[in-house]
Amino acid sequence: MKTTRIDFIGPSNGRANGTRSRAAVPVPKSDAGGRAVRRTRILIVEDEPAMVAGLRDNFEYEGFEVISADDGVSGLERALADDPDLVVLDVMMPRMSGLEVCKQVKAKRPSIPIIMLTARGQEIDKVVGLELGADDYVTKPFSIRELMARIKAVLRRVPPHVPIPDVFRFGDVEVNTRGNEVRRAGAIVELSTKEFALLAYFLAHPGETLSRDRLLDAVWGYQNYPNTRTVDTHIVHLRQKLEPHPEEPRFIVTVHGAGYKFIE
């Protein structure tokens, strides 16, 4: 199979200047029981066919599974229905802007990482995108090597397909990870996007001591919130909302000198 490697992607026509290489179609790996393991899935939300084709070739060359959408509405639908491990999202999309797609995805599925593609000079798009929860951004025209490096860095922060059940219970708390809903004693608990993402990360790593740096990197990304006190503040908020006695936490406990641990 002939696969195109892109060294550079322009701002509007998706044309590439680079080399073409031959690569075999990636063979899905198997687990110990011989069952196929799904490859990391990337959703491209982009309305320029040439850009989509170039990105698809390069992502598949790297072993990723690729799905795509050519407008914001279908992009949102695929992000929520097709379980991508990461979304590459253009800001300028028909039917629904990339910023609105980002906002809705992060409200409903905050654990899905998003990398925004912005036009050169659109500084406000970068700022708003990060404020809405985007994990990173790349400015057009961009190097495919830079984009690939950013994708791999984000995926390292958010391990794909962490085995969290759709409904997770501890104490009198019920967490619906699919519906982005938390209840305590049957009553809805309002959590911010980052509070829910932090809670979900704890649920994915029960009994594991998590440093502040690791939590900061996994939930916020270092480039957005470089102060580890951000983690402490959000831990306090979670304890106030979920713990029977916040001053003596039972579930999210402090490991002195090391970080925090979630105990079921």
Side-chain angles (χ1 to χ4, degrees):
M1 175 181 175
K2 203 171 194 180
T3 304
T4 304
R5 296 296 304 277
I6 297 177
D7 291 328
F8 172 85
I9 293 182
S12 59
N13 58 17
R15 289 178 296 184
N17 294 319
T19 59
R20 293 176 179 268
S21 304
R22 290 188 177 273
V25 177
V27 178
K29 297 179 181 180
S30 299
D31 61 15
R35 295 178 294 257
V37 177
R38 179 171 77 77
R39 287 179 287 150
T40 299
R41 178 179 296 158
I42 296 179
L43 168 61
I44 303 170
V45 184
E46 168 64 63
D47 63 335
E48 297 182 15
M51 176 77 77
V52 174
L55 292 176
R56 180 186 295 275
D57 284 347
N58 278 268
F59 293 166
E60 289 180 345
Y61 182 92
E62 293 290 336
F64 297 119
E65 177 185 349
V66 180
I67 57 178
S68 63
D70 60 5
D71 65 71
V73 173
S74 59
L76 175 61
E77 291 172 349
R78 298 211 71 173
L80 299 179
D82 292 345
D83 201 23
D85 297 288
L86 181 139
V87 178
V88 175
L89 173 62
D90 195 353
V91 170
M92 300 298 292
M93 294 296 297
R95 300 184 66 197
M96 180 185 292
S97 75
L99 294 175
E100 182 62 25
V101 173
C102 178
K103 178 181 178 182
Q104 293 199 33
V105 170
K106 286 299 186 178
K108 297 173 182 177
R109 296 286 302 280
S111 62
I112 297 178
I114 296 175
I115 295 180
M116 306 288 294
L117 303 181
T118 66
R120 184 179 297 278
Q122 298 297 314
E123 187 71 24
I124 187 65
D125 288 343
K126 301 175 187 177
V127 174
V128 174
L130 292 173
E131 289 178 345
L132 291 176
D135 296 85
D136 207 344
Y137 66 86
V138 177
T139 302
K140 297 180 182 178
F142 57 83
S143 159
I144 191 64
R145 291 186 178 91
E146 178 190 1
L147 176 59
M148 198 65 67
R150 290 178 181 272
I151 286 173
K152 292 178 179 178
V154 170
L155 289 174
R156 283 196 298 270
R157 296 202 301 262
V158 185
H161 292 285
V162 177
I164 310 174
D166 289 349
V167 178
F168 196 105
R169 297 179 178 87
F170 58 95
D172 61 353
V173 177
E174 179 179 286
V175 182
N176 185 325
T177 56
R178 283 281 184 179
N180 192 26
E181 181 180 86
V182 178
R183 291 178 178 269
R184 182 177 177 192
I188 293 287
V189 178
E190 297 293 338
L191 296 184
S192 70
T193 298
K194 290 304 184 185
E195 287 169 356
F196 189 90
L198 181 60
L199 176 60
Y201 197 79
F202 273 118
L203 298 183
H205 301 83
E208 185 176 348
T209 298
L210 305 173
S211 69
R212 290 174 176 83
D213 284 341
R214 179 173 170 183
L215 292 169
L216 186 68
D217 194 27
V219 178
W220 286 272
Y222 279 110
Q223 73 274 24
N224 299 329
Y225 288 87
N227 190 344
T228 56
R229 294 297 299 175
T230 299
V231 175
D232 297 333
T233 300
H234 282 71
I235 295 291
V236 169
H237 292 166
L238 284 178
R239 286 172 171 170
Q240 291 172 342
K241 295 176 180 181
L242 304 178
E243 293 277 3
H245 304 287
E247 67 283 0
E248 298 179 357
R250 170 185 171 188
F251 302 111
I252 303 176
V253 301
T254 300
V255 181
H256 293 289
Y260 296 98
K261 179 188 296 186
F262 173 73
I263 300 175
E264 298 183 54

